[in-house]
Amino acid sequence: MLLLRPPGVYRVDRDTALLTDVLRDRVRGRHVLDVGSGTGALAIAAAQAGAASVTAVDLSRRSAAAAWLNSRLHHVPITVRCGDLFTPVRGRRFDVVVANPPYVPASDQSPTRYRIARCWDAGHDGRLLLDRLCSGLPEILTDDGSALVVHSEVCGEQATIAAMAAAGLDARVVARAVLPFGPVMRARAALLEARGMIVPGQRVEEIVVVAGERR
Ligand SMILES: C[S@@+](CC[C@H](N)C(=O)[O-])C[C@H]1O[C@@H](n2cnc3c(N)ncnc32)[C@H](O)[C@@H]1O
């Protein structure tokens, strides 16, 4: 898919692709929210797969602008909002929430100041955004709504399943892919080894898509 990507906006990667494959079968006729939309790749895929409506939210103004431009480029109607997580759509409900949030463990706990690193840095355990996202699901999902979230095994699939369960969702892993570390994970390998988050010498990670459905 041709996507405009200004500097500082996440380049579509293998996690985007894995989640895209999963969401295509689950969004027809549904109202979809893509949180942390970057270029809008997931939002556009949802619209092309027959979603009833698609809303994309990103904290970064450049990403929101890119998602809007890309939706026009691909002739799909997407509503784009800029802001933190669910704040720009507070009070609304969606049938399906899709997210490829920042999930790479970082040396700092607080969100980074650097624009591009905001796409992946996610606190010491990689769960800074993931846990906020999971705990916010009850307020954003319709009664039969579901969430599709992609992340690395390094920040814990069981932790996501437990966080979704605490939010009233039945959750399980619906897709997996073992992939060599990309440049960010390679650069963090020593930190992750020192923290015991990967075994010494490990340079592959499993990417998982966790699906949660409201009970
Ligand atoms: C890994 S990128 C994913 C981009 C796109 N969804 C994809 O799969 O290609 C994570 C995105 O989350 C955005 N983001 C980071 N913190 C956020 C927050 N608190 N609220 C909304 N978006 C956020 C980043 O700007 C970035 O675009």
Side-chain angles (χ1 to χ4, degrees), residues 71-125:
S71 71
R72 269 55 197 172
L73 190 65
H74 289 273
H75 307 290
V76 288
I78 290 172
T79 303
V80 180
R81 296 283 178 262
C82 187
D84 178 39
L85 220 53
F86 302 131
T87 309
V89 290
R90 183 163 286 148
R92 287 194 58 197
R93 301 258 175 182
F94 296 87
D95 302 312
V96 184
V97 170
V98 301
N100 177 9
Y103 56 74
V104 179
S107 50
D108 293 329
Q109 180 58 13
S110 47
T112 174
R113 290 189 298 127
Y114 301 104
R115 195 188 299 274
I116 190 69
R118 282 196 213 130
C119 296
W120 48 75
D121 276 1
H124 289 152
D125 60 1

Side-chain angles (χ1 to χ4, degrees), residues 97-183:
V97 170
V98 301
N100 177 9
Y103 56 74
V104 179
S107 50
D108 293 329
Q109 180 58 13
S110 47
T112 174
R113 290 189 298 127
Y114 301 104
R115 195 188 299 274
I116 190 69
R118 282 196 213 130
C119 296
W120 48 75
D121 276 1
H124 289 152
D125 60 1
R127 301 199 58 84
L128 201 61
L129 254 284
L130 271 168
D131 286 336
R132 287 181 59 213
L133 185 127
C134 290
S135 66
L137 289 172
E139 275 72 53
I140 200 80
L141 286 177
T142 52
D143 288 346
D144 66 344
S146 60
L148 295 170
V149 180
V150 66
H151 63 76
S152 167
E153 60 168 334
V154 168
C155 48
E157 67 183 60
Q158 286 308 323
T160 301
I161 289 170
M164 286 193 185
L169 278 71
D170 286 325
R172 65 195 172 91
V173 173
V174 293
R176 297 178 184 277
V178 177
L179 300 167
F181 279 2

Side-chain angles (χ1 to χ4, degrees), residues 10 16 36-38 42 58-60 63 83-85 100 102 118-119 129:
Y10 188 73
T16 320
S37 50
L42 298 171
D58 204 291
L59 187 61
S60 139
S63 296
D84 178 39
L85 220 53
N100 177 9
R118 282 196 213 130
C119 296
L129 254 284

